[in-house]
Amino acid sequence: ARARGKNALFGALGFPILLPMLMIASRATERAIGEGSGAEASSGAVGLAAYGIMLIVAGGLSFPYVWED
């Protein structure tokens, strides 16, 4: 029963982390398909890369504290 509770918690905590990424990706796709310029479409890719790097850094910094518990 305890393991099931952790899986539900991961799903609940993962949604707010993935939501900004989905929003950036949908805007970038809309700009790429629409009449936007190439610079507007590539700004979404830069945003996704920056968000990914931010998540990697935050995960690396929080890993020692999470691993101890």
Side-chain angles (χ1 to χ4, degrees):
R2 191 172 182 187
R4 288 185 198 166
K6 285 186 177 184
N7 288 335
L9 183 62
F10 289 145
L13 292 176
F15 183 70
I17 293 172
L18 292 176
L19 187 64
M21 189 180 310
L22 291 173
M23 291 173 56
I24 294 170
S26 66
R27 285 189 199 133
T29 304
E30 180 182 353
R31 290 177 185 159
I33 293 173
E35 296 179 7
S37 67
E40 290 179 1
S42 67
S43 69
V46 171
L48 284 174
Y51 189 72
I53 291 169
M54 182 183 71
L55 286 177
I56 290 170
V57 169
L61 291 174
S62 63
F63 181 77
Y65 301 107
V66 174
W67 187 255
E68 288 178 5
D69 289 337

Short mmCIF file of all heavy atoms in Angstrom, two decimals:
data_model
loop_
_atom_site.label_atom_id
_atom_site.label_comp_id
_atom_site.label_asym_id
_atom_site.label_seq_id
_atom_site.Cartn_x
_atom_site.Cartn_y
_atom_site.Cartn_z
N ALA A 1 0.83 -1.19 0.00
CA ALA A 1 0.00 0.00 0.00
C ALA A 1 0.87 1.25 0.00
O ALA A 1 0.51 2.26 -0.57
CB ALA A 1 -0.91 -0.01 1.21
N ARG A 2 2.00 1.17 0.66
CA ARG A 2 2.87 2.33 0.74
C ARG A 2 3.47 2.69 -0.63
O ARG A 2 3.63 3.85 -0.96
CB ARG A 2 3.98 2.05 1.74
CG ARG A 2 4.77 3.26 2.09
CD ARG A 2 5.72 2.96 3.23
NE ARG A 2 6.44 4.15 3.59
CZ ARG A 2 7.41 4.19 4.44
NH1 ARG A 2 7.80 3.09 5.04
NH2 ARG A 2 8.02 5.31 4.71
N ALA A 3 3.80 1.67 -1.42
CA ALA A 3 4.37 1.92 -2.75
C ALA A 3 3.35 2.57 -3.68
O ALA A 3 3.70 3.41 -4.50
CB ALA A 3 4.86 0.62 -3.35
N ARG A 4 2.09 2.23 -3.57
CA ARG A 4 1.05 2.84 -4.40
C ARG A 4 0.91 4.33 -4.08
O ARG A 4 0.67 5.12 -4.95
CB ARG A 4 -0.28 2.14 -4.19
CG ARG A 4 -0.33 0.78 -4.79
CD ARG A 4 -1.70 0.21 -4.65
NE ARG A 4 -1.66 -1.22 -4.84
CZ ARG A 4 -2.63 -2.03 -4.53
NH1 ARG A 4 -3.73 -1.55 -3.97
NH2 ARG A 4 -2.52 -3.32 -4.74
N GLY A 5 1.05 4.67 -2.84
CA GLY A 5 0.95 6.08 -2.44
C GLY A 5 2.06 6.92 -3.03
O GLY A 5 1.83 8.06 -3.42
N LYS A 6 3.26 6.35 -3.14
CA LYS A 6 4.37 7.09 -3.74
C LYS A 6 4.13 7.33 -5.22
O LYS A 6 4.44 8.39 -5.73
CB LYS A 6 5.68 6.33 -3.53
CG LYS A 6 6.23 6.43 -2.14
CD LYS A 6 7.59 5.79 -2.07
CE LYS A 6 8.19 5.94 -0.68
NZ LYS A 6 9.54 5.42 -0.61
N ASN A 7 3.59 6.34 -5.92
CA ASN A 7 3.33 6.52 -7.35
C ASN A 7 2.29 7.60 -7.59
O ASN A 7 2.41 8.38 -8.53
CB ASN A 7 2.87 5.20 -7.98
CG ASN A 7 4.01 4.21 -8.09
OD1 ASN A 7 5.16 4.59 -8.15
ND2 ASN A 7 3.67 2.94 -8.11
N ALA A 8 1.28 7.66 -6.76
CA ALA A 8 0.27 8.71 -6.90
C ALA A 8 0.89 10.07 -6.61
O ALA A 8 0.56 11.06 -7.28
CB ALA A 8 -0.89 8.44 -5.95
N LEU A 9 1.77 10.13 -5.66
CA LEU A 9 2.43 11.39 -5.33
C LEU A 9 3.33 11.86 -6.47
O LEU A 9 3.37 13.05 -6.79
CB LEU A 9 3.26 11.22 -4.05
CG LEU A 9 3.97 12.47 -3.53
CD1 LEU A 9 2.95 13.54 -3.17
CD2 LEU A 9 4.81 12.12 -2.34
N PHE A 10 4.03 10.93 -7.13
CA PHE A 10 4.87 11.30 -8.27
C PHE A 10 4.04 11.88 -9.40
O PHE A 10 4.44 12.86 -10.04
CB PHE A 10 5.66 10.10 -8.78
CG PHE A 10 6.76 9.66 -7.87
CD1 PHE A 10 7.07 8.33 -7.75
CD2 PHE A 10 7.48 10.58 -7.13
CE1 PHE A 10 8.09 7.91 -6.91
CE2 PHE A 10 8.49 10.17 -6.29
CZ PHE A 10 8.80 8.83 -6.17
N GLY A 11 2.88 11.31 -9.65
CA GLY A 11 2.01 11.84 -10.69
C GLY A 11 1.50 13.23 -10.35
O GLY A 11 1.45 14.11 -11.22
N ALA A 12 1.13 13.45 -9.12
CA ALA A 12 0.63 14.75 -8.70
C ALA A 12 1.73 15.81 -8.72
O ALA A 12 1.49 16.97 -9.07
CB ALA A 12 0.03 14.66 -7.30
N LEU A 13 2.94 15.44 -8.36
CA LEU A 13 4.05 16.40 -8.35
C LEU A 13 4.63 16.61 -9.74
O LEU A 13 5.19 17.66 -10.03
CB LEU A 13 5.15 15.93 -7.40
CG LEU A 13 4.80 15.94 -5.92
CD1 LEU A 13 5.93 15.36 -5.11
CD2 LEU A 13 4.45 17.33 -5.46
N GLY A 14 4.51 15.62 -10.61
CA GLY A 14 5.07 15.73 -11.95
C GLY A 14 4.28 16.64 -12.86
O GLY A 14 4.83 17.25 -13.78
N PHE A 15 2.97 16.75 -12.64
CA PHE A 15 2.14 17.57 -13.51
C PHE A 15 2.56 19.03 -13.53
O PHE A 15 2.71 19.61 -14.61
CB PHE A 15 0.67 17.41 -13.13
CG PHE A 15 -0.26 18.16 -14.02
CD1 PHE A 15 -0.46 17.75 -15.32
CD2 PHE A 15 -0.91 19.29 -13.58
CE1 PHE A 15 -1.30 18.43 -16.17
CE2 PHE A 15 -1.76 19.99 -14.40
CZ PHE A 15 -1.96 19.56 -15.70
N PRO A 16 2.77 19.69 -12.38
CA PRO A 16 3.20 21.09 -12.43
C PRO A 16 4.59 21.28 -13.04
O PRO A 16 4.90 22.33 -13.56
CB PRO A 16 3.21 21.54 -10.97
CG PRO A 16 2.42 20.56 -10.24
CD PRO A 16 2.47 19.28 -11.01
N ILE A 17 5.40 20.25 -13.00
CA ILE A 17 6.73 20.35 -13.61
C ILE A 17 6.63 20.25 -15.13
O ILE A 17 7.33 20.94 -15.86
CB ILE A 17 7.66 19.27 -13.03
CG1 ILE A 17 7.92 19.56 -11.56
CG2 ILE A 17 8.96 19.19 -13.80
CD1 ILE A 17 8.65 18.48 -10.83
N LEU A 18 5.73 19.40 -15.61
CA LEU A 18 5.58 19.21 -17.05
C LEU A 18 4.70 20.26 -17.72
O LEU A 18 4.80 20.47 -18.92
CB LEU A 18 5.01 17.82 -17.33
CG LEU A 18 5.92 16.66 -17.01
CD1 LEU A 18 5.20 15.35 -17.25
CD2 LEU A 18 7.18 16.73 -17.84
N LEU A 19 3.83 20.91 -16.97
CA LEU A 19 2.91 21.87 -17.56
C LEU A 19 3.60 23.01 -18.29
O LEU A 19 3.23 23.32 -19.43
CB LEU A 19 1.95 22.40 -16.48
CG LEU A 19 0.82 23.28 -16.98
CD1 LEU A 19 -0.09 22.47 -17.89
CD2 LEU A 19 0.04 23.82 -15.81
N PRO A 20 4.61 23.67 -17.72
CA PRO A 20 5.28 24.74 -18.48
C PRO A 20 5.94 24.23 -19.76
O PRO A 20 5.92 24.91 -20.79
CB PRO A 20 6.34 25.29 -17.52
CG PRO A 20 5.88 24.89 -16.18
CD PRO A 20 5.12 23.61 -16.35
N MET A 21 6.48 23.02 -19.72
CA MET A 21 7.11 22.47 -20.90
C MET A 21 6.07 22.23 -22.00
O MET A 21 6.33 22.51 -23.17
CB MET A 21 7.83 21.16 -20.56
CG MET A 21 8.67 20.63 -21.69
SD MET A 21 9.53 19.10 -21.31
CE MET A 21 10.32 19.44 -19.77
N LEU A 22 4.92 21.72 -21.63
CA LEU A 22 3.86 21.51 -22.61
C LEU A 22 3.35 22.83 -23.19
O LEU A 22 3.04 22.92 -24.38
CB LEU A 22 2.71 20.73 -21.97
CG LEU A 22 2.99 19.28 -21.62
CD1 LEU A 22 1.84 18.68 -20.83
CD2 LEU A 22 3.26 18.48 -22.87
N MET A 23 3.26 23.85 -22.36
CA MET A 23 2.81 25.16 -22.83
C MET A 23 3.81 25.76 -23.82
O MET A 23 3.42 26.28 -24.87
CB MET A 23 2.58 26.10 -21.64
CG MET A 23 1.40 25.70 -20.80
SD MET A 23 1.22 26.65 -19.28
CE MET A 23 1.14 28.30 -19.88
N ILE A 24 5.09 25.68 -23.51
CA ILE A 24 6.12 26.21 -24.41
C ILE A 24 6.12 25.44 -25.72
O ILE A 24 6.20 26.02 -26.80
CB ILE A 24 7.50 26.16 -23.74
CG1 ILE A 24 7.57 27.10 -22.55
CG2 ILE A 24 8.60 26.51 -24.74
CD1 ILE A 24 8.81 26.92 -21.70
N ALA A 25 6.00 24.12 -25.63
CA ALA A 25 6.01 23.29 -26.84
C ALA A 25 4.80 23.57 -27.72
O ALA A 25 4.91 23.62 -28.95
CB ALA A 25 6.06 21.82 -26.47
N SER A 26 3.63 23.77 -27.12
CA SER A 26 2.44 24.04 -27.92
C SER A 26 2.53 25.41 -28.59
O SER A 26 2.13 25.56 -29.75
CB SER A 26 1.18 23.94 -27.08
OG SER A 26 1.14 24.95 -26.11
N ARG A 27 3.07 26.40 -27.89
CA ARG A 27 3.24 27.73 -28.53
C ARG A 27 4.26 27.67 -29.66
O ARG A 27 4.07 28.29 -30.70
CB ARG A 27 3.68 28.75 -27.49
CG ARG A 27 2.57 29.19 -26.59
CD ARG A 27 2.99 30.37 -25.73
NE ARG A 27 2.09 30.47 -24.60
CZ ARG A 27 2.46 30.63 -23.35
NH1 ARG A 27 3.74 30.73 -23.05
NH2 ARG A 27 1.58 30.71 -22.39
N ALA A 28 5.34 26.94 -29.46
CA ALA A 28 6.35 26.82 -30.50
C ALA A 28 5.80 26.10 -31.72
O ALA A 28 6.07 26.48 -32.86
CB ALA A 28 7.58 26.08 -29.97
N THR A 29 5.00 25.08 -31.50
CA THR A 29 4.38 24.36 -32.61
C THR A 29 3.40 25.25 -33.35
O THR A 29 3.35 25.26 -34.58
CB THR A 29 3.66 23.10 -32.10
OG1 THR A 29 4.59 22.30 -31.38
CG2 THR A 29 3.06 22.31 -33.23
N GLU A 30 2.63 26.02 -32.60
CA GLU A 30 1.67 26.94 -33.23
C GLU A 30 2.40 27.97 -34.09
O GLU A 30 1.97 28.28 -35.20
CB GLU A 30 0.87 27.63 -32.13
CG GLU A 30 -0.16 28.61 -32.64
CD GLU A 30 -0.89 29.30 -31.51
OE1 GLU A 30 -0.69 28.93 -30.34
OE2 GLU A 30 -1.66 30.22 -31.81
N ARG A 31 3.50 28.49 -33.60
CA ARG A 31 4.27 29.47 -34.37
C ARG A 31 4.93 28.85 -35.59
O ARG A 31 5.03 29.47 -36.64
CB ARG A 31 5.32 30.11 -33.48
CG ARG A 31 4.75 31.03 -32.44
CD ARG A 31 5.82 31.57 -31.54
NE ARG A 31 5.24 32.36 -30.48
CZ ARG A 31 5.86 32.62 -29.35
NH1 ARG A 31 7.08 32.18 -29.14
NH2 ARG A 31 5.26 33.35 -28.43
N ALA A 32 5.39 27.61 -35.45
CA ALA A 32 6.05 26.95 -36.57
C ALA A 32 5.06 26.62 -37.69
O ALA A 32 5.39 26.73 -38.87
CB ALA A 32 6.74 25.68 -36.10
N ILE A 33 3.85 26.22 -37.33
CA ILE A 33 2.84 25.88 -38.32
C ILE A 33 2.19 27.12 -38.89
O ILE A 33 1.87 27.18 -40.07
CB ILE A 33 1.79 24.93 -37.70
CG1 ILE A 33 2.43 23.59 -37.37
CG2 ILE A 33 0.60 24.74 -38.63
CD1 ILE A 33 1.53 22.66 -36.61
N GLY A 34 2.00 28.12 -38.05
CA GLY A 34 1.32 29.34 -38.47
C GLY A 34 2.20 30.21 -39.34
O GLY A 34 3.20 29.77 -39.93
N GLU A 35 1.83 31.46 -39.41
CA GLU A 35 2.53 32.41 -40.27
C GLU A 35 3.68 33.12 -39.56
O GLU A 35 4.20 34.12 -40.05
CB GLU A 35 1.55 33.45 -40.79
CG GLU A 35 0.47 32.86 -41.67
CD GLU A 35 -0.50 33.89 -42.16
OE1 GLU A 35 -0.26 35.09 -41.92
OE2 GLU A 35 -1.49 33.51 -42.79
N GLY A 36 4.09 32.63 -38.43
CA GLY A 36 5.19 33.25 -37.69
C GLY A 36 6.51 33.10 -38.40
O GLY A 36 6.70 32.25 -39.27
N SER A 37 7.44 33.96 -38.05
CA SER A 37 8.76 33.88 -38.67
C SER A 37 9.57 32.75 -38.04
O SER A 37 9.19 32.18 -37.03
CB SER A 37 9.50 35.21 -38.48
OG SER A 37 9.78 35.42 -37.12
N GLY A 38 10.68 32.45 -38.65
CA GLY A 38 11.55 31.39 -38.14
C GLY A 38 12.12 31.73 -36.78
O GLY A 38 12.36 30.86 -35.96
N ALA A 39 12.36 33.02 -36.54
CA ALA A 39 12.91 33.44 -35.25
C ALA A 39 11.90 33.19 -34.13
O ALA A 39 12.28 32.80 -33.03
CB ALA A 39 13.30 34.91 -35.30
N GLU A 40 10.63 33.41 -34.42
CA GLU A 40 9.60 33.16 -33.40
C GLU A 40 9.50 31.68 -33.08
O GLU A 40 9.33 31.29 -31.94
CB GLU A 40 8.25 33.68 -33.88
CG GLU A 40 8.15 35.19 -33.94
CD GLU A 40 6.79 35.63 -34.45
OE1 GLU A 40 5.94 34.78 -34.74
OE2 GLU A 40 6.60 36.84 -34.58
N ALA A 41 9.59 30.86 -34.11
CA ALA A 41 9.50 29.41 -33.90
C ALA A 41 10.72 28.89 -33.16
O ALA A 41 10.61 28.00 -32.31
CB ALA A 41 9.36 28.70 -35.24
N SER A 42 11.89 29.43 -33.45
CA SER A 42 13.10 28.94 -32.78
C SER A 42 13.18 29.41 -31.34
O SER A 42 13.89 28.80 -30.53
CB SER A 42 14.34 29.37 -33.55
OG SER A 42 14.50 30.77 -33.50
N SER A 43 12.46 30.48 -30.99
CA SER A 43 12.48 30.93 -29.60
C SER A 43 11.83 29.88 -28.69
O SER A 43 12.21 29.75 -27.53
CB SER A 43 11.78 32.27 -29.45
OG SER A 43 10.38 32.14 -29.68
N GLY A 44 10.88 29.12 -29.22
CA GLY A 44 10.29 28.04 -28.44
C GLY A 44 11.29 26.94 -28.16
O GLY A 44 11.32 26.38 -27.06
N ALA A 45 12.12 26.63 -29.14
CA ALA A 45 13.15 25.60 -28.94
C ALA A 45 14.17 26.07 -27.90
O ALA A 45 14.62 25.28 -27.07
CB ALA A 45 13.83 25.28 -30.25
N VAL A 46 14.50 27.33 -27.94
CA VAL A 46 15.43 27.89 -26.95
C VAL A 46 14.79 27.84 -25.56
O VAL A 46 15.44 27.50 -24.57
CB VAL A 46 15.84 29.32 -27.33
CG1 VAL A 46 16.61 29.99 -26.22
CG2 VAL A 46 16.63 29.32 -28.62
N GLY A 47 13.50 28.15 -25.49
CA GLY A 47 12.80 28.09 -24.21
C GLY A 47 12.76 26.68 -23.64
O GLY A 47 12.94 26.47 -22.45
N LEU A 48 12.50 25.70 -24.51
CA LEU A 48 12.49 24.31 -24.06
C LEU A 48 13.87 23.87 -23.59
O LEU A 48 13.99 23.16 -22.59
CB LEU A 48 12.00 23.40 -25.18
CG LEU A 48 10.51 23.40 -25.46
CD1 LEU A 48 10.20 22.56 -26.68
CD2 LEU A 48 9.74 22.90 -24.26
N ALA A 49 14.90 24.28 -24.30
CA ALA A 49 16.26 23.92 -23.90
C ALA A 49 16.61 24.56 -22.55
O ALA A 49 17.19 23.91 -21.68
CB ALA A 49 17.26 24.35 -24.97
N ALA A 50 16.24 25.82 -22.38
CA ALA A 50 16.52 26.50 -21.11
C ALA A 50 15.76 25.85 -19.96
O ALA A 50 16.31 25.67 -18.87
CB ALA A 50 16.14 27.98 -21.22
N TYR A 51 14.52 25.47 -20.20
CA TYR A 51 13.73 24.81 -19.16
C TYR A 51 14.33 23.45 -18.81
O TYR A 51 14.39 23.07 -17.64
CB TYR A 51 12.28 24.67 -19.60
CG TYR A 51 11.35 24.20 -18.52
CD1 TYR A 51 11.00 25.05 -17.47
CD2 TYR A 51 10.85 22.92 -18.52
CE1 TYR A 51 10.16 24.62 -16.47
CE2 TYR A 51 10.00 22.48 -17.52
CZ TYR A 51 9.66 23.34 -16.50
OH TYR A 51 8.83 22.91 -15.50
N GLY A 52 14.77 22.72 -19.82
CA GLY A 52 15.40 21.43 -19.58
C GLY A 52 16.68 21.55 -18.77
O GLY A 52 16.93 20.77 -17.84
N ILE A 53 17.49 22.54 -19.10
CA ILE A 53 18.73 22.77 -18.36
C ILE A 53 18.42 23.15 -16.91
O ILE A 53 19.07 22.69 -15.98
CB ILE A 53 19.59 23.84 -19.05
CG1 ILE A 53 20.13 23.28 -20.37
CG2 ILE A 53 20.72 24.32 -18.16
CD1 ILE A 53 20.77 24.31 -21.26
N MET A 54 17.38 23.98 -16.73
CA MET A 54 16.99 24.38 -15.39
C MET A 54 16.56 23.17 -14.56
O MET A 54 16.92 23.04 -13.39
CB MET A 54 15.86 25.40 -15.45
CG MET A 54 15.41 25.92 -14.12
SD MET A 54 14.03 27.04 -14.23
CE MET A 54 12.72 25.92 -14.66
N LEU A 55 15.80 22.26 -15.17
CA LEU A 55 15.38 21.06 -14.45
C LEU A 55 16.56 20.16 -14.10
O LEU A 55 16.60 19.58 -13.01
CB LEU A 55 14.36 20.28 -15.27
CG LEU A 55 12.96 20.88 -15.37
CD1 LEU A 55 12.09 20.02 -16.27
CD2 LEU A 55 12.34 21.01 -14.00
N ILE A 56 17.51 20.04 -15.00
CA ILE A 56 18.69 19.22 -14.74
C ILE A 56 19.51 19.80 -13.59
O ILE A 56 19.95 19.08 -12.69
CB ILE A 56 19.54 19.07 -16.01
CG1 ILE A 56 18.81 18.19 -17.02
CG2 ILE A 56 20.92 18.49 -15.69
CD1 ILE A 56 19.43 18.17 -18.39
N VAL A 57 19.70 21.11 -13.59
CA VAL A 57 20.46 21.76 -12.51
C VAL A 57 19.73 21.62 -11.18
O VAL A 57 20.34 21.29 -10.15
CB VAL A 57 20.74 23.24 -12.86
CG1 VAL A 57 21.27 24.00 -11.66
CG2 VAL A 57 21.69 23.33 -14.03
N ALA A 58 18.41 21.87 -11.18
CA ALA A 58 17.64 21.75 -9.94
C ALA A 58 17.66 20.32 -9.43
O ALA A 58 17.77 20.09 -8.21
CB ALA A 58 16.21 22.22 -10.17
N GLY A 59 17.56 19.36 -10.32
CA GLY A 59 17.63 17.96 -9.91
C GLY A 59 18.99 17.60 -9.34
O GLY A 59 19.09 16.87 -8.35
N GLY A 60 20.04 18.09 -9.97
CA GLY A 60 21.39 17.83 -9.47
C GLY A 60 21.65 18.45 -8.11
O GLY A 60 22.31 17.85 -7.26
N LEU A 61 21.10 19.64 -7.90
CA LEU A 61 21.29 20.29 -6.60
C LEU A 61 20.46 19.65 -5.50
O LEU A 61 20.88 19.61 -4.34
CB LEU A 61 20.95 21.78 -6.71
CG LEU A 61 21.89 22.63 -7.54
CD1 LEU A 61 21.35 24.05 -7.68
CD2 LEU A 61 23.29 22.66 -6.92
N SER A 62 19.28 19.16 -5.84
CA SER A 62 18.41 18.57 -4.81
C SER A 62 18.66 17.08 -4.59
O SER A 62 18.17 16.52 -3.61
CB SER A 62 16.95 18.80 -5.16
OG SER A 62 16.63 18.15 -6.36
N PHE A 63 19.42 16.44 -5.45
CA PHE A 63 19.64 14.99 -5.35
C PHE A 63 20.23 14.56 -4.00
O PHE A 63 19.73 13.60 -3.40
CB PHE A 63 20.52 14.50 -6.49
CG PHE A 63 20.77 13.03 -6.46
CD1 PHE A 63 19.79 12.15 -6.87
CD2 PHE A 63 21.97 12.51 -6.00
CE1 PHE A 63 19.99 10.78 -6.84
CE2 PHE A 63 22.19 11.16 -5.95
CZ PHE A 63 21.21 10.29 -6.38
N PRO A 64 21.27 15.22 -3.49
CA PRO A 64 21.83 14.74 -2.21
C PRO A 64 20.81 14.80 -1.06
O PRO A 64 20.80 13.91 -0.21
CB PRO A 64 22.99 15.71 -1.94
CG PRO A 64 23.34 16.27 -3.25
CD PRO A 64 22.07 16.30 -4.05
N TYR A 65 19.95 15.81 -1.05
CA TYR A 65 18.97 15.93 0.03
C TYR A 65 17.87 14.89 -0.11
O TYR A 65 17.40 14.34 0.88
CB TYR A 65 18.37 17.32 0.04
CG TYR A 65 19.43 18.38 0.24
CD1 TYR A 65 19.82 19.20 -0.82
CD2 TYR A 65 20.02 18.57 1.48
CE1 TYR A 65 20.79 20.17 -0.65
CE2 TYR A 65 21.01 19.53 1.65
CZ TYR A 65 21.37 20.32 0.59
OH TYR A 65 22.34 21.26 0.76
N VAL A 66 17.46 14.60 -1.33
CA VAL A 66 16.42 13.60 -1.55
C VAL A 66 16.96 12.20 -1.30
O VAL A 66 16.27 11.34 -0.77
CB VAL A 66 15.85 13.72 -2.98
CG1 VAL A 66 14.88 12.62 -3.30
CG2 VAL A 66 15.19 15.07 -3.17
N TRP A 67 18.21 11.97 -1.65
CA TRP A 67 18.80 10.63 -1.52
C TRP A 67 18.96 10.24 -0.05
O TRP A 67 18.86 9.07 0.29
CB TRP A 67 20.15 10.61 -2.24
CG TRP A 67 20.74 9.25 -2.30
CD1 TRP A 67 21.78 8.77 -1.57
CD2 TRP A 67 20.33 8.17 -3.15
NE1 TRP A 67 22.04 7.47 -1.90
CE2 TRP A 67 21.17 7.08 -2.87
CE3 TRP A 67 19.36 8.04 -4.11
CZ2 TRP A 67 21.04 5.87 -3.53
CZ3 TRP A 67 19.22 6.83 -4.76
CH2 TRP A 67 20.07 5.77 -4.46
N GLU A 68 19.18 11.21 0.83
CA GLU A 68 19.37 10.90 2.25
C GLU A 68 18.09 10.38 2.90
O GLU A 68 18.15 9.57 3.81
CB GLU A 68 19.85 12.15 3.00
CG GLU A 68 21.26 12.51 2.69
CD GLU A 68 21.70 13.78 3.39
OE1 GLU A 68 20.92 14.32 4.20
OE2 GLU A 68 22.82 14.23 3.12
N ASP A 69 16.94 10.86 2.47
CA ASP A 69 15.67 10.42 3.07
C ASP A 69 15.30 9.12 2.51
O ASP A 69 15.13 8.13 2.66
CB ASP A 69 14.54 11.40 2.79
CG ASP A 69 14.75 12.69 3.57
OD1 ASP A 69 15.44 12.66 4.59
OD2 ASP A 69 14.17 13.71 3.16
#
